[in-house]
């Protein structure tokens, strides 16, 4: 039968071993992410857009890269599917784009800020996401 | 209650009750928004309600863990807490920081990163606060002559939880890297170090409530937390499938996260066998019921429902849908919320000297809240599966699908009402139990 000391070493050694592997994989991932996310396109404008996205807590209603809230549409590919003008209209007056629908917040962004957010969503749409979101089965 | 300083736990528990109540209020705000009654939109838009809902959850659980530690550590270590005054200072500063954060959220003072929305300035205060807490219980253990595994595991879990708060403060302009380190906090907490806290508190409860030999219980505790890290550390890969990280995470994450339910299964089997073997003659059977509910529902919510969407070929469809919401509710409830309610049910009579665990209303609190939460999970699950099939698989428009699944949210609200009645009953019993008593003594002596 397993002794208490044996169980303790199972815990300590297992934890140390897998944490070491995890650190190694983290190192490798951080090296590859710039390629996979096209960091060369991460312009100051995109960064401004990201900061606006965070400050406005868009993730409190939407998902992006599949993370966030489930109340509003997934935004990873919205630049591709709906385009820049559509996004800017949403950021100006959501009611006008989707009359009577579930409510988005009405923000008071300047034109420049809207462009920043569009640039951010464009950058997001170009990340290589290993096949997410998947194409619907019958299309 | 053996030591005076154990009553510090009371204040943390009371604070947990208050925040739990508020969390539920914000849950209802979102529930109503989802059936078309977003009447508070001008004042509390969905993203404010959601951020407040989830942050209140995290804070009341942490407050509950801290209370548990202030109760358990002196008892296990056989001495008073090292600095009782610091415990009270830490309590009040925690309360101030938490209340400030909640108020701040309503003025958009936040970082829009799911679960880690607390603004940076307050992050630093949280760190100082937690350091004071860790120092206090750490010193108490260090100076005590009796060093138990249970206390050691709880301390190690809390210490590691504090440590893994820090990666959440790594800033990056790259959304993928931001998200990468966000999971170091969120995943490594709930599927890693918090499980140590859970295992430790459950062990304490089982030792007290079943009278089984400590050596046996603590041996299995090591096995369970060993399994937790064996699967849970690399299991983090189930969040690195689709966020712009290398594709080897698909099989690493898939393989190791598929093993994660084992630790929860172990916890459930452990609690059930121990309570069967131990004979059920402890006066506070209700605390044992809560402990069993915790171990069983954590397996269902985290283990079973987690497994249901953890493989990459399934997660590619369910990622970021209400299926995740379904799992989030029962996992948090089973593993951590009912754990805190279990330790309160056990410790409160000791602290206040009043035994209300045998009353009908305490029993009602147990059944209504657990059944209510299982029903809520079912409503989320049905809505989630319908969403995945219609929107993700068939390609229907997001908003059209949301209208389609709206009726399930009426179901959700009904279930939530049952759940809330249970929680209100629990809080009623808490309040009726009175304030901490001045004298000492074992209340469970038969
Ligand atoms: C007590 C333990 C657990 C808790 C409290 C918990 C809670 C949560 C929460 C709140 C989320 C959403 C996180 C976010 O998007 O920020 C989540 C996601 C997830 N959980 Fe868990 N979980 C637990 C255990 C597990 C286990 C054991 C598994 C696997 C067997 C699992 C599999 C997943 C997966 C695959 C996701 C991602 C869902 C998605 O792609 O949208 N969880 N969990
Ligand atoms: C009256 C009771 C409650 C109601 C009506 C409710 C409702 C909700 C709603 C509507 C969401 C947002 C889902 C979305 O993004 O669309 C949510 C999120 C969440 N709630 Fe609750 N909730 C309640 C109680 C609780 C309790 C007691 C817990 C913890 C044990 C909890 C844990 C969570 C978590 C972890 C999330 C985030 C899930 C995720 O991101 O995947 N809720 N809740
Ligand atoms: Fe996870």
């Amino acid at each position: 039968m397993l002794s208490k000391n044996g169980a303790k070493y199972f815990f300590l050694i297992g934890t140390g071993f897998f944490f070491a592997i995890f650190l190694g994989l983290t190192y490798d991932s951080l090296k590859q992410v710039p390629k996979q996310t096209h960091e060369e396109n991460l312009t100051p404008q995109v960064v401004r857009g990201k900061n606006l996205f965070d400050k406005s807590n868009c993730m409190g209603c939407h998902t992006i890269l599949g993370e966030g809230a489930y109340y509003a549409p997934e935004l990873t590919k919205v630049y591709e599917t709906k385009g820049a003008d559509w996004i800017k209209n949403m950021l100006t007056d959501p009611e006008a784009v989707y009359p009577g629908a579930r409510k988005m917040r009405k923000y008071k962004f300047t034109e420049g800020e809207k462009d920043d957010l569009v640039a951010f969503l464009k950058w997001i749409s170009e990340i290589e996401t290993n096949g997410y979101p998947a194409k619907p089965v019958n299309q | 209650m053996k030591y005076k300083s154990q009553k510090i736990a009371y204040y943390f528990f009371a604070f947990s009750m208050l925040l739990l109540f508020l969390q539920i209020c914000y849950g209802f705000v979102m529930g109503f928004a989802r059936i078309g009654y977003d009447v508070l939109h001008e004042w509390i838009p969905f993203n404010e309600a959601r951020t407040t809902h989830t942050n209140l959850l995290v804070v009341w659980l942490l407050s509950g863990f801290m209370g548990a530690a202030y109760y358990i550590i002196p008892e296990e270590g056989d001495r008073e807490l090292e600095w009782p005054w610091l415990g009270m200072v830490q309590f009040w500063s925690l309360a101030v920081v938490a209340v400030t954060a909640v108020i701040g959220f309503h003025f958009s003072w936040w970082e829009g990163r799911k679960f880690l929305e607390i603004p940076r300035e307050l992050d630093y205060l949280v760190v100082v606060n937690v350091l004071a807490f860790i120092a206090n219980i750490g010193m108490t253990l260090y100076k005590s002559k009796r060093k138990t595994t249970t206390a050691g595991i709880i301390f190690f879990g809390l210490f590691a939880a504090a440590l893994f708060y820090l990666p959440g403060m790594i800033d990056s302009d790259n959304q993928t890297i931001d998200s990468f380190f966000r999971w170091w906090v969120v995943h490594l907490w709930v599927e890693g170090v918090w499980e140590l806290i859970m295992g430790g508190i459950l062990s304490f409860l089982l030792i007290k409530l079943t009278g089984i030999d400590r050596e046996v219980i603590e041996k299995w505790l090591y096995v369970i937390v060993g399994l937790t890290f064996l699967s849970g550390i690399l299991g983090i890969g189930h969040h690195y499938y689709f966020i712009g990280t290398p594709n080897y995470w698909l099989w690493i994450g898939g393989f190791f996260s598929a093993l994660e339910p084992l630790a929860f299964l172990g916890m459930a089997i452990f609690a059930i066998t121990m309570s069967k073997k131990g004979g059920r003659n402890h006066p506070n059977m209700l605390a044992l019921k809560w402990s069993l509910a915790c171990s069983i529902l954590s397996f269902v919510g985290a283990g079973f429902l987690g497994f249901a969407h953890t493989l990459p070929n399934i997660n590619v469809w369910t990622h970021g849908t209400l299926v995740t919401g379904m799992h989030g509710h029962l996992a948090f409830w089973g593993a951590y919320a009912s754990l805190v309610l279990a330790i309160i049910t056990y410790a409160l009579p000791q602290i206040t000297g009043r035994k209300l665990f045998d009353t009908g209303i305490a029993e009602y609190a147990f059944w209504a809240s657990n059944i209510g939460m299982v029903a809520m999970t079912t409503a989320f699950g049905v809505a989630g599966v319908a969403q995945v099939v219609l929107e993700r698989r068939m390609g229907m428009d997001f908003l059209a699908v949301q209208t389609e699944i709206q009726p399930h949210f009426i179901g959700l609200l009904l279930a939530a009402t049952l759940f809330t009645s249970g929680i209100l009953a629990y809080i009623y019993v808490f309040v009726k139990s009175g304030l901490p008593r001045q004298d000492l003594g074992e209340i469970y002596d038969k």
Side-chain angles (χ1 to χ4, degrees):
Chain A
M1 249 318 248
L2 179 72
S3 69
K4 185 169 168 185
N5 241 349
K8 182 171 169 182
Y9 284 112
F10 165 70
F11 164 61
L12 290 175
I13 294 173
T15 303
F17 179 73
F18 285 104
F19 201 73
I21 296 184
F22 177 51
L23 288 180
L25 289 172
T26 296
Y27 176 76
D28 183 73
S29 294
L30 292 180
K31 250 182 25 197
Q32 298 202 39
V33 163
K35 251 194 320 248
Q36 239 182 295
T37 58
H38 303 288
E39 228 175 57
E40 67 278 7
N41 299 335
L42 193 66
T43 59
Q45 188 184 26
V46 174
V47 174
R48 283 200 304 274
K50 178 193 186 293
N51 291 337
L52 274 175
F53 194 84
D54 281 349
K55 256 215 98 29
S56 318
N57 197 357
C58 310
M59 243 200 211
C61 291
H62 290 275
T63 47
I64 187 160
L65 300 173
E67 292 176 14
Y70 320 123
Y71 189 64
E74 160 67 50
L75 293 180
T76 308
K77 297 288 177 194
V78 73
Y79 179 83
E80 255 175 55
T81 54
K82 303 274 165 101
D85 289 341
W86 182 274
I87 298 173
K88 286 179 72 170
N89 288 340
M90 279 310 286
L91 298 175
T92 314
D93 186 7
E95 270 290 323
V97 185
Y98 285 100
R102 191 177 269 186
K103 291 196 192 78
M104 168 155 155
R105 268 177 112 149
K106 189 171 174 182
Y107 289 98
K108 297 191 185 71
F109 292 125
T110 63
E111 278 307 301
E113 286 174 330
K114 289 178 208 163
D115 288 330
D116 296 345
L117 277 162
V118 170
F120 170 66
L121 289 171
K122 173 168 189 291
W123 179 78
I124 286 281
S125 73
E126 288 162 0
I127 295 178
E128 289 162 33
T129 51
N130 302 331
Y132 176 84
K135 289 261 171 298
V137 281
N138 54 356
Q139 283 177 16
Chain B
M1 186 166 68
K2 261 165 95 179
Y3 297 99
K4 265 201 181 120
S5 48
Q6 282 178 295
K7 73 175 174 216
I8 293 176
Y10 178 87
Y11 302 96
F12 287 86
F13 291 156
F15 192 52
S16 285
M17 295 289 102
L18 174 69
L19 299 190
L20 166 59
F21 175 74
L22 290 174
Q23 187 212 345
I24 291 175
C25 297
Y26 288 91
F28 274 108
V29 172
M30 288 189 286
F32 278 108
R34 279 189 155 284
I35 60 168
Y37 291 97
D38 194 5
V39 287
L40 292 178
H41 178 77
E42 297 302 321
W43 301 279
I44 312 176
F46 192 90
N47 60 345
E48 270 177 31
R50 192 186 213 277
T51 297
T52 315
H53 183 67
T54 49
N55 280 270
L56 281 170
L57 168 66
V58 173
V59 179
W60 83 254
L61 293 178
L62 287 175
S63 178
F65 293 165
M66 287 175 178
Y70 281 122
Y71 184 84
I72 295 173
I73 297 294
E75 182 130 343
E76 288 283 296
D78 247 343
R79 68 192 296 271
E80 290 283 357
L81 190 70
E82 183 66 21
W83 301 298
W85 61 270
L86 185 63
M88 284 315 290
V89 171
Q90 191 244 323
F91 168 73
W92 284 110
S93 60
L94 178 76
V96 169
V97 172
V99 170
T100 312
V102 166
I103 295 175
F105 289 154
H106 293 81
F107 295 92
S108 299
W109 191 37
W110 53 24
E111 290 174 17
R113 305 160 68 214
K114 189 176 176 190
F115 282 111
L116 308 181
E117 287 96 343
I118 293 185
R120 186 53 46 93
E121 294 80 354
L122 292 182
D123 279 341
Y124 296 121
L125 294 182
V126 172
V127 171
V128 175
N129 185 276
V130 172
L131 279 178
F133 165 71
I134 296 288
N136 209 350
I137 57 167
M139 201 48 133
T140 310
L141 274 185
Y142 178 74
K143 286 203 178 162
S144 87
K145 288 191 195 65
R146 183 166 175 267
K147 303 222 174 358
T148 67
T149 302
T150 299
I153 296 270
I154 293 178
F155 176 75
F156 182 65
L158 289 164
F159 178 78
L163 200 64
F164 280 106
Y165 188 72
L166 302 178
M169 293 162 73
I170 298 175
D171 276 323
S172 170
D173 291 337
N174 187 319
Q175 181 70 26
T176 298
I177 293 177
D178 231 12
S179 172
F180 191 89
F181 285 112
R182 187 178 78 84
W183 290 115
W184 276 49
V185 188
V186 179
H187 173 96
L188 292 182
W189 265 9
V190 299
E191 288 155 76
V193 296
W194 282 25
E195 279 184 60
L196 299 202
I197 304 172
M198 173 185 172
I201 294 177
L202 273 184
S203 287
F204 175 81
L205 285 166
L206 290 172
I207 291 168
K208 294 287 171 183
L209 293 166
T210 67
I212 295 213
D213 179 31
R214 176 183 285 277
E215 288 301 299
V216 179
I217 288 192
E218 291 180 340
K219 176 173 88 183
W220 289 111
L221 178 58
Y222 272 131
V223 173
I224 287 167
V225 296
L227 282 174
T228 297
F229 281 145
L230 188 147
S231 59
I233 296 175
L234 293 180
I236 197 173
H238 63 188
H239 304 294
Y240 295 164
Y241 296 156
F242 310 122
I243 62 167
T245 32
N247 61 9
Y248 52 68
W249 287 112
L250 294 182
W251 65 267
I252 296 178
F255 180 78
F256 284 95
S257 69
L259 299 178
E260 282 181 46
L262 285 180
F264 288 98
L265 184 64
M267 207 97 71
I269 295 177
F270 163 75
I272 294 170
T273 10
M274 295 304 159
S275 61
K276 274 210 172 125
K277 265 199 204 151
R280 305 179 170 226
N281 48 18
H282 192 279
N284 194 343
M285 271 299 113
L286 191 61
L288 188 62
K289 275 190 199 157
W290 275 107
S291 312
L292 285 171
C294 165
S295 69
I296 293 167
L297 289 183
S298 68
F299 172 66
V300 179
F304 179 74
L305 295 180
F307 183 80
H309 61 153
T310 202
L311 298 176
N313 54 329
I314 294 173
N315 193 258
V316 73
W317 300 108
T318 59
H319 184 43
T321 63
L322 287 162
V323 168
T324 311
M326 155 198 78
H327 155 69
H329 276 87
L330 198 63
F332 260 114
W333 172 257
Y336 303 120
S338 53
L339 176 71
V340 169
L341 300 182
I343 182 74
I344 294 180
T345 304
Y346 172 80
L348 194 66
Q350 291 273 35
I351 297 174
T352 67
R354 286 205 214 163
K355 304 189 222 182
L356 290 172
F357 43 80
D358 267 338
T359 56
I361 185 142
E363 191 83 12
Y364 176 82
F366 174 78
W367 290 107
S369 58
N370 280 296
I371 294 173
M373 182 49 83
V374 170
M376 281 171 60
T377 306
T378 313
F380 266 117
V382 176
V385 171
Q387 182 194 3
V388 169
V389 172
L390 296 176
E391 182 199 329
R392 298 288 170 94
R393 302 266 307 177
M394 316 300 278
M396 249 171 95
D397 171 62
F398 177 88
L399 282 176
V401 173
Q402 294 296 311
T403 316
E404 206 67 41
I405 62 180
Q406 200 150 300
H408 302 305
F409 282 88
I410 299 176
L412 175 82
L413 285 171
L414 289 174
T417 307
L418 176 65
F419 169 78
T420 306
S421 74
I423 296 299
L424 289 176
Y426 193 98
I427 295 176
Y428 175 82
V429 170
F430 188 97
V431 172
K432 277 283 165 190
S433 297
L435 294 170
R437 56 180 174 162
Q438 296 310 317
D439 55 333
L440 298 173
E442 178 62 43
I443 196 155
Y444 294 132
D445 277 344
K446 280 147 267 169

